[in-house]
Amino acid sequence: MSMELPLVVFTVSAQAAIGLVAISTVRQFAGHGPLGKIRQEWLFAAAVLAIGLLASLFHLGHPLGAPTVLNHLGTAWLSAEAVGAGVLLAVVAVAAFTIKGGVNKALGIIAAVLGLLVVYFMGMTYSPPSFPAYNNVLPFAFFLLTAAILGPALASYFASQEKQAMLARWLTGALLVGLVVHLLAPCIWLSGGTVMRETGMAFVASPLYWARIVLGLALPLAVVVRMKSIPVWLPVLLVAGELAGRLLFFMYSIHTAPNLGGIY
């Protein structure tokens, strides 16, 4: 596959916004104390999601034909993904502009649940049978981890000081799970069939993969565990790490199509 930069930006941006909205909702309704810059947080989430949707248009051969996505809503996961992200943007924007002391409870819950549903749509979109390494639960796991990592990381810019320790604990758990999953995934692929093994070999042979593991997961985990807080520079590093991981996802996945029509 190619780098697919529009899809890299779209998926990471959308999942970051989803994670931020979900964390903000949980933080507001499952705890006590000051909410922090809640309006700015939801406006930021809406802006990030809008940037992602705009970027996705550049993946289309004819961007002006984007509305035709509705034609296949019942049969294509890609259509469900696009429409779901658009509806989510509308809900987040309405929630942001109607904040009075806090996010409307119903809108917050709807946004969080809809966000998880969009992540599910994304996982189904990028797990076709022609990509054996991804024709399973791993794409959904990767995307959910991006939301779980970037959500609390970005929320640290908006949350009150009283909530920073809680965000650090959430981020610690997400980074630990992410590190384990991203180390195990190539091992699983290497134990599979020929095409799946090629994907695993492509990942472990890539310097970008190991840079992402060290700088995007292991180092941030060590920093958060040691400091028990999220330093202001860390979310930037985490965003870079997730972008690198998504580049790997699209660049090094091997599909079965090259062998179609071959004599061997």
Side-chain angles (χ1 to χ4, degrees), residues 200-239:
M201 289 187 289
F203 266 70
V204 298
S206 170
L208 183 60
Y209 169 74
W210 294 108
R212 189 279 171 98
I213 289 293
V214 174
L215 298 178
L217 293 170
L219 177 61
L221 177 60
V223 169
V224 177
V225 169
R226 180 176 178 82
M227 298 182 66
K228 293 181 171 37
S229 64
I230 304 172
V232 67
W233 54 268
L234 190 60
V236 177
L237 181 61
L238 290 170
V239 169

Side-chain angles (χ1 to χ4, degrees), residues 138-151:
L138 282 175
F140 175 73
F142 293 156
F143 298 161
L144 190 61
L145 281 168
T146 295
I149 289 171
L150 296 185

Side-chain angles (χ1 to χ4, degrees), residues 44-263:
F44 179 78
V48 170
L49 183 53
I51 290 171
L53 282 168
L54 180 62
S56 70
L57 295 178
F58 292 94
H59 177 68
L60 303 176
H62 301 283
L64 295 180
T68 60
V69 71
L70 295 172
N71 296 341
H72 307 285
L73 188 56
T75 57
W77 289 111
L78 181 63
S79 295
E81 172 193 35
V83 172
V87 173
L88 176 62
L89 175 59
V91 172
V92 173
V94 170
F97 285 110
T98 57
I99 288 175
K100 293 181 179 179
V103 178
N104 177 276
K105 186 173 184 179
L107 287 175
I109 294 173
I110 290 171
V113 172
L114 183 56
L116 292 176
L117 192 60
V118 171
V119 173
Y120 171 72
F121 291 157
M122 289 180 171
M124 296 302 294
T125 299
Y126 302 106
S127 58
S130 57
F131 290 88
Y134 296 160
N135 187 220
N136 47 54
V137 74
L138 282 175
F140 175 73
F142 293 156
F143 298 161
L144 190 61
L145 281 168
T146 295
I149 289 171
L150 296 185
L154 294 173
S156 67
Y157 289 139
F158 305 98
S160 63
Q161 189 60 41
E162 290 84 351
K163 301 294 179 70
Q164 293 295 329
M166 178 176 64
L167 292 175
R169 290 194 295 272
W170 288 347
L171 180 57
T172 299
L175 286 170
L176 181 59
V177 174
L179 183 61
V180 171
V181 169
H182 285 286
L183 285 173
L184 284 178
C187 299
I188 295 172
W189 297 332
L190 289 171
S191 66
T194 302
V195 177
M196 189 182 291
R197 282 201 306 273
E198 289 182 5
T199 298
M201 289 187 289
F203 266 70
V204 298
S206 170
L208 183 60
Y209 169 74
W210 294 108
R212 189 279 171 98
I213 289 293
V214 174
L215 298 178
L217 293 170
L219 177 61
L221 177 60
V223 169
V224 177
V225 169
R226 180 176 178 82
M227 298 182 66
K228 293 181 171 37
S229 64
I230 304 172
V232 67
W233 54 268
L234 190 60
V236 177
L237 181 61
L238 290 170
V239 169
E242 292 306 306
L243 288 171
R246 200 54 44 80
L247 278 172
L248 286 163
F249 180 87
F250 287 112
M251 286 174 61
Y252 292 119
S253 56
I254 310 299
H255 56 83
T256 57
N259 295 322
L260 292 179
I263 59 174

